[in-house]
Amino acid sequence: MNYLCEVCGYPYLDEPPYDEFGYGTYLICPCCGFEFGYDDYPDKEKGIIDWRNNWINNGFKWFSKYTSPPVNWNPKKQLVNLKK
């Protein structure tokens, strides 16, 4: 099962970013580098929005040096996965 990054819309997270109680699992998105439970503290919504805006404004740079982006990766199209 894959999970969605709520920051960048990356649809291939191996684990959920938040647990059943809404706490961050400290998972780091290989696409945008957001760490759930750390980068969203103390204001979850503000943390997500600020990180997304910085990621976009810095050119949608792929974060992970160990995980490659998907074939034909298009970060602008990926953002469509977000409901916000």
Side-chain angles (χ1 to χ4, degrees):
M1 176 177 241
N2 291 317
Y3 299 90
L4 183 73
C5 175
E6 295 181 26
V7 176
C8 68
Y10 180 69
Y12 303 113
L13 297 178
D14 293 335
E15 300 174 35
Y18 295 101
D19 67 16
E20 64 272 12
F21 303 107
Y23 295 108
T25 57
Y26 297 97
L27 175 73
I28 298 173
C29 176
C31 179
C32 69
F34 189 84
E35 183 175 359
F36 295 90
Y38 181 78
D39 293 316
D40 51 3
Y41 181 83
D43 185 335
K44 180 178 175 181
E45 187 172 330
K46 183 177 182 337
I48 288 172
I49 291 169
D50 288 349
W51 195 278
R52 181 183 305 131
N53 289 336
N54 286 333
W55 180 69
I56 291 168
N57 292 333
N58 288 314
F60 304 95
K61 293 180 183 167
W62 184 264
F63 174 77
S64 179
K65 298 197 182 349
Y66 304 103
T67 302
S68 298
V71 176
N72 298 321
W73 176 64
N74 183 326
K76 291 179 183 177
K77 287 183 179 179
Q78 178 179 286
L79 287 169
V80 174
N81 294 329
L82 300 172
K83 295 177 184 176
K84 295 181 180 180

